[in-house]
Amino acid sequence: MIDSHPISLTGQHTILDGCPDLRVVGTAQDCETAAALYQELRPDVVVVHMHQDTERALDIVQSLSGARSSLPAANALLLIDDVDTAADHVLQAGVKGVLGSGSSAEELAAAVRIMATGRSLLIPRAREESRGSPLETLTDREVEVFHLVTRGFSNAEISAELALSQSTVKSHIQRAMEKLRLRNRVHAVIFAYENNIIHSGV
């Protein structure tokens, strides 16, 4: 995790380390420290946030990719202020994931999970309202449950949030997954990002 602002770095560290399935293995505030740690730790995902200095962030990603010829290119998730304006530019530089810097804690964690599976993360632009909803085959209750699943809620948490039994929650999740042809929760989060159900940069 690389961030030029100490407070922001601490916040992201707290968010990701607070997820039971994620672990922050190292942090840095500058390019030199980041390159050294990358060579040593070989993280699955590198989160880079240079705030409004996108060019500096790109320099860091490129330095990581070239840190040692035997290492693969960094699986970098770049947090930027204006996704639509900068997306094409940063992707040409080899960045594999882009997320709005104003995204929620849940969205950051979900983005890291997606990229850890080896998938690229491109935040889609808003779809035209004239197009049908990707969730139109679901009932209203299944939509509610699906939204909570993509926000990282466990079955028990969904049960408490919607005042449903856990067996009912499990049934709603199973039916939603079947209707949307999704394999598991990670696949559900990927589907939500690709269909602009999870919004970034808000």
Side-chain angles (χ1 to χ4, degrees):
M1 179 177 296
I2 307 161
D3 195 317
S4 57
H5 291 190
I7 294 177
S8 176
L9 182 62
T10 299
Q12 292 173 54
H13 188 294
T14 300
I15 290 169
L16 296 180
D17 249 7
C19 300
D21 58 329
L22 301 177
R23 183 167 67 93
V24 177
V25 296
T27 62
Q29 289 180 239
D30 58 78
C31 184
E32 293 74 18
T33 303
L37 286 175
Y38 180 65
Q39 292 182 43
E40 175 185 353
L41 301 173
R42 300 287 295 274
D44 295 322
V45 180
V46 179
V47 180
V48 182
H49 189 198
M50 290 290 109
H51 300 270
Q52 296 184 358
D53 192 350
T54 303
E55 292 297 327
R56 179 61 172 158
L58 295 179
D59 287 343
I60 288 177
V61 172
Q62 291 170 342
S63 72
L64 296 182
S65 299
R68 186 184 294 170
S69 59
S70 62
L71 295 184
N75 192 18
L77 171 64
L78 190 64
L79 304 184
I80 57 179
D81 294 325
D82 190 337
V83 173
D84 284 343
T85 299
D88 294 339
H89 181 50
V90 299
L91 292 174
Q92 289 173 4
V95 175
K96 297 182 180 179
V98 178
L99 188 67
S101 58
S103 299
S104 68
E106 292 83 4
E107 289 169 337
L108 174 60
V112 171
R113 292 187 182 101
I114 290 170
M115 293 191 62
T117 68
R119 296 285 298 270
S120 295
L121 179 65
L122 310 181
I123 304 303
R125 290 167 172 78
R127 298 184 171 222
E128 297 177 5
E129 292 185 1
S130 59
R131 300 183 184 182
S133 167
L135 304 182
E136 61 187 5
T137 60
L138 306 186
T139 66
D140 290 344
R141 181 61 85 182
E142 287 167 356
V143 169
E144 285 183 298
V145 171
F146 184 78
H147 275 289
L148 294 177
V149 167
T150 60
R151 289 173 55 193
F153 281 54
S154 67
N155 285 9
E157 290 169 333
I158 295 172
S159 173
E161 180 74 15
L162 299 180
L164 300 172
S165 70
Q166 289 196 46
S167 61
T168 299
V169 169
K170 185 176 180 181
S171 296
H172 283 312
I173 293 174
Q174 183 176 352
R175 286 196 295 270
M177 293 290 193
E178 289 173 352
K179 290 179 180 180
L180 298 174
R181 299 182 180 180
L182 302 175
R183 296 185 297 276
N184 49 45
R185 288 176 185 251
V186 172
H187 194 190
V189 174
I190 293 171
F191 174 88
Y193 266 108
E194 291 179 340
N195 288 278
N196 208 29
I197 295 166
I198 294 178
H199 300 282
S200 67
V202 179

